[in-house]
Amino acid sequence: MAVRAASHRIGGSLLEKLLNADGGGYEGVSIDCGNGHRARFVEHRQKALTTVLSNVDVTRAYYHCDPCGDGVIPKDLILDIVDTGFSPGVRRMMGQVGGKEAFDDGRKDLEVLAGVLVTTKTVERISEVIGEQIERQNRSERKQVMSGKVVPFVSKERVPKLYVAIDGTGVPVVARETEGRKGKDETGKAKTREAKLGCVFTQTTVDEKGYAVRDKDSTTYVGAIETAVHFGSRIYAEAVKRGMAQAKQVIILGDGAKWIWGIADEHFHGAIQIVDLYHAREHLAKVAKLVHGVENRKFDEWNSARRDELDNGDVEAIIAALGRLRPNSKGTQKEVRTEIDYFRKNAERMRYADFRRQGLFVGSGVVEAGCKTIIGQRLKLSGMHWTVRGANAIIALRCCQMSGRWEEFWESRAIG
Ligand SMILES: [Zn+2]
């Protein structure tokens, strides 16, 4: 431990010399402020910088622009340390742990693994800043895609099948984020906000049994707590980025949620829409349970007959069978009518035999797993209550990391 600390200190003093070898990055008596004015040189200023090796003092030429009323420090831009006392390397580490685990655990990991001593609050703040920077990049990409000005993805090989899978999951939030929203528990007050998550992946082949195989490392994720309208452009932009324009087939996978199919109709016109088979099966099991009870031969009979019809994509037979049910209670009658409505509305999204013949995925397991890993394992740990802003920053951070874009993000920040 002591040895490592000493070597860190030596490395640190070398780094300090190196960082100050330019004499502060003086670029003359005046420079362009970035807004078309001249900013004049004032003095050299010191900044205490926490780096991976140690704390160092960095000398930087400070300029001031009178019209803007702002200071300009070219060297901070070059070193990517504008408005922060942490080097990109240290911030990256904080984002790495802050995206992965609770901020306090992240702080401990930084201390043990890297000898970097910071507060829990700092890990939280920097992780959120990084998430917000990622989101800012996403937003400007999205703007370009939505304006239709760019062809963002051109590849020689056409993507055979491109899937867009969408789901929602609750994130526990602080009380003020749910004011006036209805919840499901006995208090009637909402305690969570829905995060929408989407993933895009591709498929080239099927296995020997004819089942769809997802292309390795082809899954990217986007997500946020936001309206369906905003999420619609988010997932659309992601699909475009992934080469949707060149895909031979586009498939939308989701459960029965109305907002998902609203997005599909608006942004993915002509795509094949598929309701997750396992959700549809749950609907059947629910009816069977209501009408026949669980510990019952009739439950199994009815349920397995409907499942066969479902596998065959014979939704009309299911609707007919539901129509033949004569439950006694008014409540159950109403439930059955709701289910008939569900199967009617989604009939074309349940032609499973046909989808299987085409070698398509019929389950949205990928996005459900995504909800568990990206949201559940980080944002839904016990005792956690998020602000929407904080949650969205961490969701952006995790989506970036899980999509294999973390490296790319830091490279995009490096100047020169
Ligand atoms: Zn200016």
Side-chain angles (χ1 to χ4, degrees):
M1 195 63 171
V3 174
R4 195 185 61 186
S7 71
H8 269 199
R9 269 199 304 279
I10 295 163
S13 73
L14 280 175
L15 178 69
E16 192 169 69
K17 276 199 190 110
L18 203 65
L19 284 173
N20 291 311
D22 65 352
Y26 179 73
E27 295 181 2
V29 287
S30 75
I31 56 166
D32 191 330
C33 78
N35 295 318
H37 320 122
R38 299 304 291 179
R40 65 196 162 72
F41 174 73
V42 181
E43 62 188 347
H44 280 97
R45 288 187 179 176
Q46 295 249 310
K47 163 136 105 178
L49 189 68
T50 302
T51 77
V52 177
L53 292 172
S54 67
N55 295 338
V56 295
D57 284 320
V58 187
T59 304
R60 310 108 72 231
Y62 175 87
Y63 292 79
H64 192 269
C65 174
D66 289 336
C68 288
D70 254 337
V72 185
I73 305 172
K75 189 168 171 177
D76 282 4
L77 274 167
I78 291 165
L79 294 178
D80 186 11
I81 52 168
V82 176
D83 296 331
T84 178
F86 297 99
S87 74
V90 170
R91 298 205 311 277
R92 184 181 169 140
M93 281 183 177
M94 287 196 253
Q96 188 86 39
V97 296
K100 203 184 77 199
E101 56 194 345
F103 299 120
D104 194 44
D105 293 329
R107 176 191 63 78
K108 288 174 197 154
D109 270 353
L110 281 180
E111 183 178 343
V112 173
L113 300 174
V116 172
L117 296 170
V118 288
T119 64
T120 300
K121 195 71 201 162
T122 302
V123 177
E124 176 177 349
R125 190 169 49 81
I126 299 291
S127 298
E128 287 183 6
V129 167
I130 295 168
E132 282 161 8
Q133 285 165 344
I134 290 168
E135 177 59 13
R136 220 169 297 141
Q137 277 193 2
N138 292 344
R139 207 177 302 138
S140 77
E141 272 183 17
R142 204 148 62 228
K143 251 191 188 161
Q144 284 187 307
V145 170
M146 296 313 281
S147 72
K149 276 182 205 142
V150 281
V151 182
F153 182 95
V154 180
S155 150
K156 273 173 248 149
E157 309 226 345
R158 285 183 72 186
V159 180
K161 293 178 170 74
L162 183 133
Y163 290 84
V164 174
I166 303 173
D167 200 5
T169 183
V171 173
V173 291
V174 296
R176 71 179 152 87
E177 298 284 15
T178 55
E179 239 161 68
R181 286 167 182 266
K182 274 191 203 145
K184 289 172 193 158
D185 75 353
E186 65 281 355
T187 67
K189 279 185 198 142
K191 297 197 169 51
T192 62
R193 291 283 298 271
E194 182 185 54
K196 296 179 170 68
L197 191 79
C199 61
V200 177
F201 61 93
T202 60
Q203 179 208 341
T204 312
T205 56
V206 291
D207 67 12
E208 61 276 7
K209 283 181 182 160
Y211 285 103
V213 177
R214 181 156 52 116
D215 290 339
K216 196 171 173 283
D217 297 329
S218 76
T219 314
T220 55
Y221 304 87
V222 294
I225 301 173
E226 63 188 348
T227 63
V229 171
H230 285 110
F231 183 77
S233 8
R234 183 185 297 275
I235 186 68
Y236 169 73
E238 181 62 20
V240 171
K241 189 172 168 178
R242 293 295 309 280
M244 180 167 72
Q246 296 181 78
K248 287 181 191 150
Q249 267 183 316
V250 178
I251 302 100
I252 316 292
L253 285 165
D255 57 20
K258 272 195 199 113
W259 62 268
I260 295 176
W261 303 113
I263 289 172
D265 288 338
E266 186 181 347
H267 294 288
F268 301 94
H269 188 76
I272 300 172
Q273 302 185 353
I274 303 179
V275 160
D276 174 61
L277 170 66
Y278 306 94
H279 274 88
R281 281 185 182 168
E282 276 171 23
H283 280 260
L284 291 178
K286 190 180 131 197
V287 176
K289 194 172 149 191
L290 272 172
V291 177
H292 298 299
V294 195
E295 307 282 324
N296 191 317
R297 192 176 48 85
K298 277 193 159 171
F299 169 92
D300 286 331
E301 260 171 32
W302 193 90
N303 195 36
S304 77
R306 300 296 85 74
R307 269 171 83 139
D308 289 345
E309 290 162 355
L310 192 61
D311 286 342
N312 290 330
D314 192 354
V315 188
E316 287 66 25
I318 294 170
I319 294 169
L322 287 166
R324 281 194 300 272
L325 293 173
R326 294 282 176 267
N328 291 324
S329 96
K330 279 253 170 356
T332 306
Q333 284 168 16
K334 195 171 163 240
E335 297 261 15
V336 171
R337 276 200 300 276
T338 307
E339 292 305 324
I340 290 175
D341 195 45
Y342 167 81
F343 282 97
R344 238 183 224 140
K345 278 199 178 114
N346 290 301
E348 294 311 314
R349 304 180 182 124
M350 294 181 175
R351 305 301 182 194
Y352 297 113
D354 187 36
F355 300 147
R356 282 250 165 87
R357 260 194 300 278
Q358 297 182 58
L360 299 173
F361 279 102
V362 293
S364 55
V366 177
V367 71
E368 278 143 36
C371 279
K372 279 200 193 98
T373 21
I374 292 180
I375 314 277
Q377 288 171 10
R378 178 64 187 88
L379 288 99
K380 292 161 92 157
L381 302 180
S382 90
M384 284 187 174
H385 300 284
W386 297 83
T387 62
V388 168
R389 185 168 164 251
N392 277 344
I394 298 305
I395 293 170
L397 183 72
R398 276 178 82 71
C399 283
C400 172
Q401 292 172 335
M402 302 284 292
S403 303
R405 291 175 175 155
W406 184 236
E407 200 72 35
E408 202 178 297
F409 167 74
W410 288 99
E411 273 167 22
S412 75
R413 294 187 60 80
I415 296 181

